[in-house]
Amino acid sequence: MEGIVVKNLSRDFEYYEKEAGMKSSIQNLFHRKKQIRHAVKNISFEVQKGEMVGFLGPNGAGKTTTIKMLSGILHPTSGEISVNGYVPWERKNEFKKQFAYVAGQKSQLWINLPAVDSFALNKSIYELSDTEYKQTLGELVELFGVQDFLKVQVRRLSLGERMKMEMIAALLHRPKVILLDEPTIGLDFIAQNNIREFLKDYNRKNGVTMLLTSHYLKDIEELCHRTIVISHGDLVYNGTLEHIRNIFSKKRLLNVRWNAPVGREALTRLGALKSWEPMKAVLEVEDADVAQTIQRLFEISEVGDINIEAAPLEESIARLYGQEAREADSEQV
């Protein structure tokens, strides 16, 4: 089966506790207190061929651990994984030629060499023909517009330019599955947008399966129709982002502009005042109170413009994390 299939996947890590001080260090030589951390707990999900799926979760949720198991870097404690029909930790050459792993915080390029030298090394590793290599490299270089930086040492490139080179290195062998771990971290707005547009276009043209983790919700909103949310190692949601908003957000933001100044005190009784200036304000109100609040806003002063928006999706995601955390704590009591 092509795509990604995960069944009852778990990964535990063993570690040892030690108190501070020389006495504890000596005691630790003879007796160590072993602890087990359950990084991923019995999760199951599927990503269909050609689908782009977001993989969300707070720090320490188990996202990177899962990505590393999907790529074969880590072996699971229990459970099954199939990536394009292969078991990742068996590390067969056919499998390694079908996937790419791009991590925004780690580089696969030699920083003291020009990127083109690392590209040539990947050509040999993936056993690409001269024709195939030149054609693919030419297409990617043109798409990213980095013709002038191929012979520049990687350490002298900007972060945005380096990430483009990382993408090229990962895609030279035309993988069918791409695992993206924070690919836009640290990039400025323009560089982030360029990477997102490239991934969107690349997926559309090549039908590549992508699993994307990111703390920038904009990445997920623009690229992925579906998202998987993991928290404390547990899979807590698998569905659309819009559904998360509908479940957790029963509030609306009213962006109001008046034709004459309005005092702050007149608004505080209507809802949570997110921002205020004499001629404009943003109010957060319950969904059921929107109509009544709008009527009262018109009574306060002549309204020049009013816009109703859903509460930020980030708030709904945070509530989802918080709900799962509270449930986990209650189970331990």
Side-chain angles (χ1 to χ4, degrees):
M1 177 186 293
E2 292 188 326
I4 299 172
V5 179
V6 173
K7 294 181 179 179
N8 305 318
L9 183 67
S10 296
R11 171 69 193 198
D12 299 335
F13 291 97
E14 294 183 357
Y15 64 97
Y16 297 90
E17 286 187 349
K18 185 186 84 67
E19 300 292 337
M22 180 62 72
K23 180 180 178 180
S24 296
S25 296
I26 295 173
Q27 291 177 341
N28 201 51
L29 293 174
F30 303 98
H31 176 72
R32 294 191 296 176
K33 185 178 179 180
K34 184 169 72 173
Q35 300 286 344
I36 297 178
R37 178 173 178 266
H38 304 291
V40 177
K41 307 173 188 174
N42 198 40
I43 67 173
S44 300
F45 62 86
E46 295 186 11
V47 181
Q48 301 299 318
K49 177 184 177 182
E51 189 178 13
M52 295 181 71
V53 174
F55 196 39
L56 295 177
N59 289 331
K63 302 187 303 297
T64 298
T65 299
T66 303
I67 292 289
K68 287 182 177 180
M69 287 190 283
L70 291 173
S71 64
I73 296 174
L74 290 178
H75 193 292
T77 303
S78 61
E80 303 175 11
I81 300 177
S82 172
V83 178
N84 267 16
Y86 294 95
V87 178
W89 53 89
E90 292 180 353
R91 304 292 290 169
K92 293 181 179 179
N93 286 335
E94 294 83 0
F95 165 71
K96 289 185 282 187
K97 291 180 180 180
Q98 291 195 21
F99 89 97
Y101 179 23
V102 181
Q105 301 185 63
K106 295 184 179 179
S107 176
Q108 61 177 310
L109 304 174
W110 292 84
I111 62 171
N112 292 316
L113 296 175
V116 70
D117 287 348
S118 294
F119 298 159
L121 176 61
N122 280 15
K123 169 183 179 293
S124 298
I125 291 174
Y126 290 105
E127 300 176 340
L128 304 176
S129 67
D130 290 341
T131 302
E132 185 179 11
Y133 170 73
K134 290 178 181 178
Q135 179 181 347
T136 305
L137 180 60
E139 291 175 359
L140 294 173
V141 167
E142 184 177 354
L143 280 171
F144 277 117
V146 292
Q147 295 88 339
D148 297 335
F149 305 113
L150 289 175
K151 299 179 181 179
V152 178
Q153 286 177 298
V154 171
R155 63 186 177 88
R156 298 187 182 277
L157 298 174
S158 70
L159 184 57
E161 292 162 353
R162 182 181 68 78
M163 276 309 302
K164 291 178 181 179
M165 297 301 185
E166 293 282 353
M167 287 286 183
I168 292 174
L171 301 176
L172 274 175
H173 60 292
R174 296 184 180 273
K176 296 180 180 179
V177 175
I178 304 177
L179 307 175
L180 300 154
D181 193 4
E182 302 284 355
T184 62
I185 190 168
L187 302 183
D188 60 38
F189 173 79
I190 295 176
Q192 288 180 18
N193 189 62
N194 288 341
I195 295 293
R196 284 195 292 263
E197 288 300 318
F198 169 78
L199 290 174
K200 191 185 302 181
D201 187 60
Y202 192 82
N203 171 263
R204 180 178 58 81
K205 289 181 177 178
N206 299 280
V208 175
T209 306
M210 296 186 186
L211 188 64
L212 167 66
T213 78
S214 180
H215 284 297
Y216 298 123
L217 203 54
K218 187 77 171 175
D219 292 346
I220 307 298
E221 286 183 294
E222 291 198 6
L223 295 173
C224 307
H225 174 68
R226 181 165 66 95
T227 186
I228 296 167
V229 180
I230 187 173
S231 184
H232 297 276
D234 293 310
L235 194 151
V236 296
Y237 180 79
N238 186 349
T240 66
L241 285 171
E242 187 61 30
H243 189 53
I244 295 179
R245 194 199 303 272
N246 293 337
I247 292 174
F248 289 94
S249 181
K250 296 182 180 180
K251 299 180 183 294
R252 292 292 181 266
L253 297 180
L254 304 182
N255 294 271
V256 191
R257 291 181 181 271
W258 287 276
N259 294 329
V262 172
R264 184 187 187 98
E265 297 76 13
L267 303 173
T268 54
R269 297 187 298 271
L270 302 183
L273 194 57
K274 294 292 187 179
S275 67
W276 171 84
E277 293 179 27
M279 301 290 289
K280 63 181 181 180
V282 178
L283 275 168
E284 184 181 71
V285 300
E286 295 292 333
D287 196 18
D289 297 334
V290 169
Q292 181 182 355
T293 304
I294 291 176
Q295 181 179 346
R296 296 183 66 183
L297 289 171
F298 274 91
E299 293 172 355
I300 290 174
S301 182
E302 182 181 348
V303 174
D305 181 59
I306 187 167
N307 183 39
I308 305 172
E309 298 178 359
L313 185 57
E314 287 87 346
E315 294 184 7
S316 298
I317 296 291
R319 289 172 187 170
L320 183 60
Y321 296 159
Q323 177 187 11
E324 196 280 331
R326 289 190 297 272
E327 290 174 354
D329 290 341
S330 66
E331 289 174 0
Q332 295 174 4
V333 174

